Amino acid sequence: IPGLWEVFIQDRLFYVDDSVEHVLSGSIIDVLSQKNLTQESLRRYARDNWSKWPFQDAVKQVFGKGERQVIVFSDANCGYCRKMERVFEEAGNLTVYTFIAPMIRGEQNNREIVCSKDPSRAWHDWMARGIAPQPAPDGCDASVLQRNLALTGRLNITGAPTFFFPTGDRLTGAVPVEQFEAILAEQRPKS
């Protein structure tokens, strides 16, 4: 759009005019094609920045071969997130990067999981099997929870679970395995 520029600030998209006197926030829709241009830009930005995620702050789980990937923002106190853990198992052939953030009822359970010797196993045991994590050891550094919580703010994540896919697509909320498989199938590169 002549005279309108896209500007990304902390992973959020804004529009400014040539003089940078006005800032717009929200979706721009192409009336003729009925495409949401803002969503297309956000998708492209997320796809191009997939490798820049702070994966070191995520709990990584591999189901089967792990050839497909998804990022999920989750909370150990989230019932919908717990349902998705079973969906991941059923879907298989999936690598899940879980950014644990205390979005619901504080740090309890989240802290115990990130402070465990094997956070991936502790997460899966708690979320899929209901096996409570061991108490966190004294002096445990659980600062990852605050970093992940700050990331939810930057990305405007308001609910759990929230998913990000390598194509840049985003989804909030639990879905049945059939729907999750359909979303993953859409993620395959088009030939």
Side-chain angles (χ1 to χ4, degrees):
I1 300 172
L4 199 60
W5 299 89
E6 291 182 344
V7 177
F8 281 92
I9 301 172
Q10 293 185 339
D11 299 315
R12 290 189 180 175
L13 176 59
F14 298 94
Y15 299 96
V16 297
D17 61 1
D18 279 331
S19 62
V20 193
E21 289 180 22
H22 301 93
V23 176
L24 303 170
S25 176
S27 293
I28 294 181
I29 311 294
D30 182 315
V31 177
L32 294 177
S33 68
Q34 297 185 5
K35 283 187 177 180
N36 183 327
L37 301 178
T38 302
Q39 286 301 325
E40 293 295 320
S41 291
L42 288 169
R43 188 176 291 118
R44 185 176 51 254
Y45 177 79
R47 182 181 60 239
D48 294 347
N49 287 288
W50 180 263
S51 64
K52 295 178 184 170
W53 280 91
F55 288 110
Q56 71 278 2
D57 285 345
V59 171
K60 179 182 176 182
Q61 295 181 91
V62 179
F63 299 91
K65 293 181 181 178
E67 295 171 324
R68 303 178 294 180
Q69 296 182 351
V70 65
I71 288 170
V72 60
F73 282 81
S74 195
D75 185 314
N77 300 303
C78 167
Y80 293 110
C81 303
R82 179 168 279 139
K83 289 179 182 180
M84 287 309 299
E85 197 71 14
R86 289 185 222 97
V87 169
F88 300 151
E89 277 184 312
E90 209 172 318
N93 192 20
L94 184 65
T95 299
V96 179
Y97 297 96
T98 303
F99 287 85
I100 300 172
M103 296 181 271
I104 297 175
R105 286 183 294 216
E107 290 190 8
Q108 187 173 356
N109 297 326
N110 293 302
R111 185 174 190 280
E112 284 79 6
I113 289 167
V114 300
C115 289
S116 71
K117 290 180 184 172
D118 185 350
S120 177
R121 182 179 181 135
W123 177 262
H124 190 69
D125 282 348
W126 173 242
M127 298 303 279
R129 297 184 179 91
I131 301 170
Q134 295 296 314
D138 290 336
C140 161
D141 178 11
S143 61
V144 66
L145 296 175
Q146 293 310 308
R147 288 193 302 275
N148 290 347
L149 194 57
L151 191 54
T152 67
R154 274 188 34 217
L155 298 170
N156 199 27
I157 294 171
T158 58
T162 295
F163 303 92
F164 292 86
F165 298 90
T167 56
D169 291 315
R170 175 179 175 156
L171 169 73
T172 299
V175 295
V177 69
E178 299 82 14
Q179 187 176 351
F180 192 70
E181 282 287 3
I183 295 166
L184 289 171
E186 291 174 10
Q187 305 306 307
R188 292 189 187 116
K190 311 282 188 264
S191 18

